[in-house]
Amino acid sequence: MTARTAHPIEGVPVAGPDDALGRAPPERPPGPASPASHALLDALPQKVWVLDQAGAVSFANRAAREIGSGHGEPDGWDGAVHPKDRHRVAAARASAIRSGQPYDLTIRLRDASGRWHWHQTDLVPIREGAAVTGWMMTAADVDDVVADNQALEATTNLLLLTHKAAGVGLWDWNMRTGALSLSAEGARLHGLSAQACTITSSAWTGLVHADDRAMLWDAVTRAVTTRTPFSVDVRVTSELGGTRWIQSLGRVLDDAHGMSGRIVGLTLDITPRKRAEQALSTAKEGAEQANRAKSDFLAMMSHEIRNPLNAVLGYTEHMLSRSREPETLRHLAAVQEAGEILIRVVDDVLDVAQIEAGQVALDPEAFLLADLLEGTAAVARGAASRKGVAVEVVRDPATPPMVLGDVGRLRQVLLNLLTNAVKFTPAGRVVLSVSPETGRSGEGRILFAVSDTGIGMSAAQQERLFVPFGQGDESIRRRYGGSGLGLVICRHLVELMGGRIDVASEPGRGTRIWFAVMLPPA
């Protein structure tokens, strides 16, 4: 009896030591045996073996004969199969020979250089009628495919790990079948057990808070009909019974016919963000209520203070007209001046309260710009003349004579700027200049500027100029008085008229404040 040695696929016998893989035995083999058949099999890139009924190799093509060559293993080809794959190969081959059924395995085989390659191996029976007369085994190198699959699997696992670490769940909704597939993290975020699962559309709807279900399906409809990304924030019941906010983002995918078939996306836990938004909204509402209460209080107090002040000023004016005593007149004039200062402060506080409450509205009308300028300058000249300060008006001839705007609010701004300029100018002059604003966006806008030769301001003082109750510094307040609200009111009114106010100044070299507002020709 002929001795058997090992086949490259462990356990498959061959005829003897000199009949190792790649050497045809003297007997007539089953299956392809002609030189033409051998030449054809030798030309194939796949490795091919022809085995007899018992599994002994009767032929191996050129690619198969390269397996294990040069390894110094004359007695067999066991080394051609990776040690970790040999048991699977032997068991599969024995089962196939016993049952007469084919098998396929992905295993590692060693090439001539000693490197292991993944191969897809197939063993199929050769039949004559119903009887198995032999076997044909093929092995195709799939090392690149296996490597790619392993890399893809590693990337997928890393992606899933990243999603889990970031608290991101994945989902895939089939609009045809209504099946929603959730990753483990996606299931957890929806309040289910933390394992991948597939649920129905109705079950998905049931997980969402009743008040948010319509919003969910409106978002689905909008994404499908408008072909825009899917996005919705809804509440679900968490695994502990509480409520969790989740954000679902996705994109509609079309099938081969261009019809919307699926929406795939991810789910994020946005509960902390929603809580922060709610806290911010509550705080904002509380602040607005407090501000309204403050504005109402200031308006009420201003009204209550103004009424007796008007009475005081009225009686003072009456007594000034009737008294002839110089000392009495001097005292009455002081009372009148103090009362006027106080009522201006009350008016400023009331204006600020109304502005912050959003109760100031513009009342545009046509008016002559020259009348406004001269009338406002005349009021400022009263205080300026006592200091020897000149108040001048310079109007560009290109400025429209009649414009459309809120003359009362504009007068308030100009008077505030002029009286401030006079107050901080010990000597010299104050100039109110008016001209059309230049530039592409200047059409219909008028530029106003008030310049003085007064004490000027530092950069730090300029930063506080338009801040409520900010008047440069305390020394300015003590020396010149004032509430520090006038320029705040000016800024709000200028912005209400669609403009912006700004300042340029240097200590000891005067100040220039300017603004441009929309005043179209009337």
Side-chain angles (χ1 to χ4, degrees), residues 180-233:
L180 176 72
S181 299
L182 296 170
S183 68
E185 186 65 13
R188 187 189 70 81
L189 291 176
H190 279 82
L192 302 173
S193 298
Q195 56 186 10
C197 63
T198 300
I199 60 176
T200 63
S201 298
S202 58
W204 183 27
T205 305
L207 296 174
V208 176
H209 192 284
D211 295 341
D212 299 338
R213 292 169 186 169
M215 183 166 52
L216 169 66
W217 290 106
D218 286 345
V220 171
T221 303
R222 184 168 55 253
V224 173
T225 56
T226 64
R227 320 297 278 180
T228 55
F230 171 80
S231 177
V232 68
D233 297 349

Side-chain angles (χ1 to χ4, degrees), residues 299-446:
M300 180 189 69
M301 292 303 297
S302 298
H303 179 73
E304 293 298 325
I305 294 173
R306 183 184 293 175
N307 284 341
L309 266 178
N310 284 331
V312 170
L313 290 173
Y315 280 116
T316 302
E317 186 72 27
H318 176 69
M319 293 175 69
L320 280 170
S321 66
R322 295 174 64 86
S323 177
R324 297 292 182 267
E325 294 289 333
E327 186 71 13
T328 302
L329 290 174
R330 187 171 63 83
H331 290 315
L332 289 174
V335 171
Q336 185 181 44
E337 183 180 4
E340 289 174 349
I341 292 174
L342 186 56
I343 202 164
R344 282 199 299 271
V345 172
V346 171
D347 287 341
D348 285 348
V349 171
L350 181 59
D351 280 341
V352 169
Q354 289 177 331
I355 288 170
E356 289 184 348
Q359 296 175 354
V360 176
L362 298 179
D363 185 16
E365 59 178 308
F367 64 92
L368 286 169
L369 193 55
D371 290 350
L372 168 67
L373 299 176
E374 290 300 330
T376 307
V379 175
R381 287 189 183 109
S385 62
R386 293 193 290 271
K387 303 172 64 174
V389 175
V391 177
E392 304 172 9
V393 176
V394 178
R395 185 166 70 90
D396 190 315
T399 307
M402 182 168 283
V403 294
L404 182 65
D406 191 324
V407 63
R409 292 301 183 184
L410 186 56
R411 180 186 293 111
Q412 184 178 359
V413 173
L414 293 175
L415 189 57
N416 234 315
L417 297 181
L418 284 171
T419 54
N420 261 1
V422 170
K423 180 167 65 172
F424 295 111
T425 304
R429 64 176 186 161
V430 173
V431 178
L432 168 60
S433 61
V434 184
S435 62
E437 187 181 38
T438 58
R440 291 191 303 175
S441 61
E443 186 176 354
R445 297 172 69 87
I446 306 297

Side-chain angles (χ1 to χ4, degrees), residues 449-482:
V450 175
S451 305
D452 64 59
T453 58
I455 62 174
M457 291 177 286
S458 66
Q461 290 171 331
Q462 292 176 50
E463 289 179 358
R464 300 185 59 212
L465 194 61
F466 298 105
V467 177
F469 307 104
Q471 205 179 43
D473 54 42
E474 280 302 314
S475 64
I476 298 293
R477 186 188 303 277
R478 287 194 300 269
R479 183 176 177 185
Y480 294 96

